[in-house]
Amino acid sequence: MSSSRRARPRHLASSPFKPEPELVVEVFEVDDRVSHDTHGLGRVVAVDPVCVTVDFGDRNVRVAPPFAKMSKL
């Protein structure tokens, strides 16, 4: 059985390199105002376990996590 998530390598205290920062996935709710780097300003209209649907005025776009280009206003 394989996992879809990549296993994080263990960071040793004696390592001269900094550990990779934890990936924070933002949580969106219906009616949240958002800003997307490509599509602009929008409003969340639906939240599914796999994606968020955002109304950007002229079109609805489904955005999948980790929402790298989208932030809550």
Side-chain angles (χ1 to χ4, degrees), residues 33-34 36 39-45 53-61:
R33 298 282 297 167
V34 295
H36 192 279
H39 302 293
L41 297 175
R43 182 177 303 275
V44 176
V45 293
T53 305
V54 182
D55 178 17
F56 289 106
D58 57 341
R59 65 191 169 282
N60 286 351
V61 178

Side-chain angles (χ1 to χ4, degrees), residues 15-69:
S15 173
F17 303 104
K18 293 182 180 179
E20 291 182 26
E22 288 286 327
L23 181 63
V24 177
V25 178
E26 209 164 346
V27 177
F28 295 97
E29 296 179 8
V30 175
D31 288 333
D32 281 349
R33 298 282 297 167
V34 295
S35 175
H36 192 279
D37 290 350
T38 306
H39 302 293
L41 297 175
R43 182 177 303 275
V44 176
V45 293
V47 178
D48 298 325
V50 234
C51 69
V52 173
T53 305
V54 182
D55 178 17
F56 289 106
D58 57 341
R59 65 191 169 282
N60 286 351
V61 178
R62 291 175 50 131
V63 182
F67 311 115
K69 296 184 175 186

